[in-house]
Amino acid sequence: MKKKVLTVDDSRTIRNMLLVTLNNAGFETVQAEDGVEGLEVLEESDPDVIVTDINMPRLDGFGFIEGVRRNDRYRAIPILVLTTESDPEKKNRAREAGATGWIVKPFDPTKLIAAIERVTA
């Protein structure tokens, strides 16, 4: 059975790159444009893993991660942060919010797939 990935990013370009990368690797992909939509899509999609950006309108990645973790149903879903940020303080904040891992953009498709497979194994 295909593993399902929810990607949350306000950049259409990044969403398209993720869609192609993940679908080519055999994942089912559902997408959202920001944290607010991400929480809505999460309810309907029940993903195996989430890949989220940090800097987004309406609800940023930190708020989104906290929103996911507040619900017991989603507490065990791995969350990978995919962002241009590399600030250790922001990494810590994401970890404290409940993120599983951190990947800096631009992403290497092979490394992204390896990270997703590692956290969903």
Side-chain angles (χ1 to χ4, degrees), residues 28-54:
E28 182 182 338
T29 311
V30 288
Q31 298 192 303
E33 290 183 21
D34 61 32
V36 172
E37 188 183 1
L39 291 172
E40 292 166 1
V41 172
L42 178 66
E43 292 289 324
E44 305 152 16
S45 62
D46 215 15
D48 296 292
V49 63
I50 297 168
V51 177
T52 184
D53 188 15
I54 288 295

Side-chain angles (χ1 to χ4, degrees), residues 2-95:
K2 279 187 179 184
K3 289 201 169 125
K4 192 183 294 183
V5 182
L6 167 59
T7 67
V8 185
D9 200 303
D10 59 315
S11 162
R12 174 175 278 127
T13 304
I14 294 292
R15 283 197 313 274
N16 288 342
M17 287 169 55
L18 285 167
L19 189 66
V20 169
T21 300
L22 295 168
N23 288 356
N24 286 346
F27 292 98
E28 182 182 338
T29 311
V30 288
Q31 298 192 303
E33 290 183 21
D34 61 32
V36 172
E37 188 183 1
L39 291 172
E40 292 166 1
V41 172
L42 178 66
E43 292 289 324
E44 305 152 16
S45 62
D46 215 15
D48 296 292
V49 63
I50 297 168
V51 177
T52 184
D53 188 15
I54 288 295
N55 300 312
M56 298 181 287
R58 295 205 300 164
L59 181 64
D60 69 10
F62 299 119
F64 170 70
I65 294 166
E66 288 162 358
V68 172
R69 294 299 185 224
R70 267 196 296 275
N71 187 327
D72 286 342
R73 187 170 147 208
Y74 308 121
R75 195 148 290 157
I77 296 175
I79 301 175
L80 296 174
V81 174
L82 179 65
T83 181
T84 54
E85 301 283 351
S86 56
D87 176 13
E89 204 173 283
K90 289 195 173 160
K91 283 185 186 179
N92 280 341
R93 187 171 162 207
R95 227 186 321 270

